[in-house]
Amino acid sequence: MENKKTRLYSISFSPWSEKARWALDHHRISYEEVEHYPFAGELRLRILLRKPTGRVTVPILDDRGALLTDSFDIARHADAVGAGPKLFPAGREAEVEAWNRRSETTLAALRAMMMLKFVDDPTFGRAALPRGTPEAIVPLLMPIGRGAMQLFVAKYRMRDGAEAHRAVAEEGLETLDKALAEGQKYLLGDTFSYADIAMALVLQVVSPVDKRFMPTGPGGRAGWSNPDLAERYARLVKWRDELYENHRRWV
Ligand SMILES: N[C@@H](CCC(=O)N[C@@H](CS)C(=O)NCC(=O)O)C(=O)O
């Protein structure tokens, strides 16, 4: 009688959603994707999670009633129920988890830098408006778009320690750069793992991956790129591109 589908609530262009999607696709797990719209979609998530207050985020996996509310938990679940080679190789779970923590802090810092740039620079004021908003009404809607971005900045407390974001981002990228210094393909050395997925997605906010693999978010490539970091860590961007070519071909 259980014929509910597995559903992934996600944002098509969000690195966190892509981490979960990649793990699910790696294991050939079939699921239906439900696009989440920040703010507009929040009530639906609160009802799904029965969580009236506190922060709710995507990705969320609803595997026929079992709810997983973090990309890392979704990846672990995919590894447990899926068919592909393990993304959390036996005995190396702690290493993968440490890389995921690094991914979270680095990504949060890079996202905060990007959002603060959007909020403070009027040329990105339209980034929060839906694609296809008619040009004629863009000027009228700009203040609403800007207001939405300010709420987003507040939700994730991005102004807290605003000066520290860059240092945190650089530290994360530097650690990744050192770990790959010998030119190895994978963070665990010999095998592709969730550590690679988690750290590859950090680079989405340094230099977005080719749009064959995932769409670039509002603000476009210019908004999502960080030219000086992309230049300094060009080797990492290349590493990420190769990972996509070799391990994300069936999207
Ligand atoms: N630790 C969480 C973080 C997820 C997260 O920050 N999600 C953001 C991605 S932009 C989100 O849901 N934003 C939409 C919103 O806040 O409505 C995970 O890995 O799943």
Side-chain angles (χ1 to χ4, degrees):
M1 63 179 260
E2 252 319 341
N3 64 353
K4 268 176 77 183
K5 278 198 183 126
T6 298
R7 288 205 174 90
L8 182 71
Y9 294 81
S10 61
I11 297 177
S12 57
F13 56 81
S14 168
W16 284 271
S17 291
E18 168 67 358
K19 288 192 210 180
R21 214 186 286 123
W22 193 339
L24 291 164
D25 292 343
H26 170 89
H27 283 300
R28 316 282 206 277
I29 293 168
S30 70
Y31 58 92
E32 178 185 279
E33 231 175 328
V34 182
E35 183 73 10
H36 167 70
Y37 297 94
F39 304 106
E42 199 160 308
L43 190 56
R44 176 168 67 182
L45 299 186
R46 291 195 182 284
I47 292 167
L48 173 76
L49 300 175
R50 297 171 205 268
K51 187 177 174 188
T53 57
R55 193 189 278 180
V56 289
T57 59
V58 292
I60 297 169
L61 187 74
D62 179 354
D63 193 356
R64 288 152 296 167
L67 290 165
L68 297 149
T69 57
D70 186 277
S71 52
F72 186 75
D73 298 335
I74 296 171
R76 295 229 53 155
H77 177 74
D79 231 39
V81 303
K86 294 286 177 206
L87 292 172
F88 295 79
R92 310 200 64 180
E93 295 89 345
E95 274 171 86
V96 179
E97 194 165 357
W99 278 113
N100 186 62
R101 272 198 302 276
R102 205 163 279 135
S103 162
E104 287 283 321
T105 31
T106 315
L107 201 43
L110 285 162
R111 174 179 62 184
M113 285 162 67
M114 175 177 76
M115 291 301 299
L116 292 172
K117 169 177 82 179
F118 283 175
V119 172
D120 295 336
D121 179 347
T123 55
F124 289 111
R126 60 177 305 166
L129 300 180
R131 259 168 226 220
T133 302
E135 275 312 310
I137 61 168
V138 164
L140 296 170
L141 293 178
M142 284 275 262
I144 298 175
R146 201 89 47 77
M149 283 195 282
Q150 269 151 1
L151 284 172
F152 197 83
V153 163
K155 175 174 178 180
Y156 294 94
R157 309 180 74 86
M158 291 173 184
R159 294 234 182 244
D160 295 5
E163 335 61 53
H165 297 320
R166 193 170 175 97
V168 171
E170 285 178 7
E171 193 190 329
L173 293 169
E174 205 54 43
T175 309
L176 178 62
D177 197 47
K178 286 216 180 72
L180 296 170
E182 310 291 321
Q184 55 269 64
K185 283 164 71 181
Y186 306 121
L187 285 168
L188 295 190
D190 48 349
T191 174
F192 175 62
S193 75
Y194 188 70
D196 300 305
I197 294 180
M199 290 309 290
L201 264 306
V202 167
L203 295 156
Q204 187 63 14
V205 206
V206 171
S207 175
V209 74
D210 191 288
K211 61 180 188 312
R212 271 183 296 137
F213 298 111
M214 71 183 277
T216 308
R221 290 197 76 81
W224 283 65
S225 296
N226 193 315
D228 51 303
L229 291 178
E231 193 184 331
R232 188 145 116 223
Y233 296 105
R235 198 162 62 90
L236 298 181
V237 173
K238 188 161 170 277
W239 165 77
R240 185 275 317 272
D241 288 345
E242 280 168 15
L243 269 189
Y244 262 89
E245 289 299 338
N246 294 327
H247 293 277
R248 195 112 177 71
R249 274 171 302 183
W250 49 80
V251 286

